[in-house]
Amino acid sequence: MNTERLIYLPLGGAGEIGINAYVYGYGKPNRERLILVDLGVAFPDMDSSPGVNLIFPDVSWLAERSDRLEAIFITHGHEDHVGAVAHHYSELHAPIYARPFTANVARMKMYENGQPDDAVSAVEPWPARVEVGPFSVGFVPITHSIPENSGLVIDTPCGRLVHSGDFKLDSSPVLGGPFDENLWRSLAKPGVQALMCDSTNVFAANEGRSEGSLSAHIERAVLGCKGMFVATTFASNVARVKTLAESGEKAGRKICLMGRAMKRMANASVKMGIMPEFPSTVDIRDIKNHPREELMLIVTGSQGERRAASAQLSKGKYNGISMKPGDTFLFSSKTIPGNERGVLRVINDFSKIGVNVIDDASDDYHVSGHANRPDLARMHDILKPRFIVPIHGEHRHLREHVALANNRGYRGVFSANGMMMDLSGPEAAEAGHIDVGRIYLDGKMKIGAYDGIIRDRLSLARDGHVAVSVVVDSHMDTIYGPWCKTVGLSRDGASGSPLTDVIEDDLGDFIDKTFKRLLAEDGDVEDEIRAIVRKRIMAETGKRPHISVSINQVGE
């Protein structure tokens, strides 16, 4: 009897968009040898994660089993797939494999975070293989919105798995080769036990459009602009950056790239031969030497990020450049769910200036890098897997993808973050549940979702803070205070008096009558002060602020 099993466990990316992290394992139960596919990030927002830099998947389950982790495989260079590699490397200590362009991205991240960049190995595409433990893994080229994107073939003693990663079936991409259906059909010949398949666009009913279909629309938009033309897209979508730059060049414009990520991605693509030809650009320091109507800027910040070039331009100057009435700003990108407020803020700020904004409402200037519903069905039919396990999507995407598979005669398997599935036999079965959460990069520190820090910040933003200080001498006589300071609360309360004055008056009565006795009896003075402040604040403002109390003793 075969006691080994093949398991699949998503730690991120299944039930959400972003922070992709998928574990595969083979061996005896609870002793499986493991590999990890992708290790990405999500980006914070002020509504749910104020002050946070990045959001990572919680890999504590995997870190506890790092002695069984054979390797990490990265499908492509988008942040939601590679962004956490350097941040979690010290916990996992596993070799990292990727195709050359992605490996270059990963090495830069490792170097910037003080991790050994030689832990990242560049590998050739299929039919080349990486042999690790019981796994044989190959990178199979497939089109997406970034160079050298790959799906993975993962051969195991229980059969072949195919991890699609992010993909679209593009017959005329701007960079790289078109989707090779014959190659992907050949992967199905030994039989495919399970296909882990991108679910992002499962609700999009029409076939996806090619990246190559955009250039004519963008060129017309540039030609129709009388002032300066500025466009934003994802820096990693170097094919789009190339299309934008070539459209600007055809319209007689000088091209300038703005934003560190934009320059870095374009330079890396040229250096590695992925983008052998790119229009000549002017340095940002020299653009004042050219008339505004002859300029086209390609900038970062397509998702409304506050520090990126787009947002900075919408607020005034950026690197000495200002937008003016009659200029045009193009979003050559889709707004990721959750980023709508930031993008609308940028659009409205440009509108106040008088800039003509072309947003993502039209399909003329952007195509998705993900397969739409008909293309997902086509991929199912190409590979004919025993199981279809949706990945890369919110719960609604995963459920809909399972239904799509089942309705077409396949066996869809729902598995959200933390659900371990046994894929060894003729039927998929749940094999356990892992508590998974999120880890926040907060400045230089990594904090857990349950540490309370983010909850406290949200509470402070909602209700404010009151600090109370009292200084006493060795005889328990008050020599200073009570002193009160409020943050995030109105200056005056409902009584019409300054809030700090009424609080200090209430505390003064307490100190005169009860304070010294409670101190002598080791009573809970701080809790009494908090109760008095809380009652007064509620009466004056209706708020329940955080309250800090400091009682300091001086003298002998």
Side-chain angles (χ1 to χ4, degrees), residues 109-319:
K109 293 183 178 299
M110 294 286 277
Y111 176 79
E112 290 169 356
N113 286 275
Q115 301 296 340
D117 56 5
D118 59 0
V120 182
S121 296
V123 297
E124 294 302 310
W126 185 265
R129 308 281 193 100
V130 178
E131 308 290 338
V132 289
F135 303 97
S136 178
V137 182
F139 289 78
V140 186
I142 192 166
T143 45
H144 185 40
S145 55
I146 193 170
E148 292 189 353
N149 182 68
S150 296
L152 297 179
V153 166
I154 305 170
D155 284 326
T156 78
C158 278
R160 172 166 289 184
L161 305 176
V162 176
H163 184 102
S164 78
D166 295 1
F167 77 96
K168 66 182 296 184
L169 308 184
D170 195 336
S171 60
S172 56
V174 172
L175 294 176
F179 172 66
D180 188 342
E181 183 168 335
N182 290 332
L183 171 62
W184 279 81
R185 285 192 179 279
S186 72
L187 304 179
K189 290 181 180 178
V192 175
Q193 180 74 356
L195 164 64
M196 285 67 183
C197 194
D198 183 1
S199 306
T200 311
N201 284 349
V202 68
F203 290 104
N206 298 322
E207 290 185 4
R209 295 184 300 124
S210 172
E211 182 71 29
S213 67
L214 299 179
S215 58
H217 297 287
I218 295 173
E219 188 175 344
R220 279 198 295 271
V222 180
L223 285 169
C225 174
K226 302 303 181 184
M228 185 168 64
F229 193 94
V230 184
T232 186
T233 190
F234 295 99
S236 59
N237 191 347
V238 292
R240 184 71 49 78
V241 175
K242 184 173 187 288
T243 297
L244 289 167
E246 289 177 342
S247 298
E249 187 178 55
K250 289 177 182 176
R253 303 252 175 174
K254 302 293 184 183
I255 310 302
C256 178
L257 302 180
M258 293 180 66
R260 187 180 68 166
M262 189 69 68
K263 297 174 187 175
R264 185 168 65 180
M265 278 292 184
N267 289 338
S269 299
V270 172
K271 181 179 179 181
M272 300 185 71
I274 291 168
M275 189 165 56
E277 295 181 1
F278 190 79
S280 59
T281 61
V282 296
D283 189 272
I284 193 169
R285 293 167 294 188
D286 298 328
I287 61 177
K288 290 184 177 181
N289 299 326
H290 301 278
R292 294 175 56 80
E293 64 273 13
E294 294 181 6
L295 288 173
M296 178 174 176
L297 313 183
I298 305 175
V299 305
T300 55
S302 66
Q303 301 305 301
E305 301 95 321
R306 290 178 182 271
R307 297 180 182 177
S310 297
Q312 297 293 330
L313 285 169
S314 74
K315 288 293 186 183
K317 286 187 177 182
Y318 181 69
N319 285 339

Side-chain angles (χ1 to χ4, degrees), residues 7-30:
I7 61 170
Y8 160 75
L9 171 64
L11 299 178
E16 63 196 346
I17 301 293
I19 56 177
N20 293 277
Y22 308 94
V23 176
Y24 295 91
Y26 178 81
K28 294 183 182 298
N30 302 315

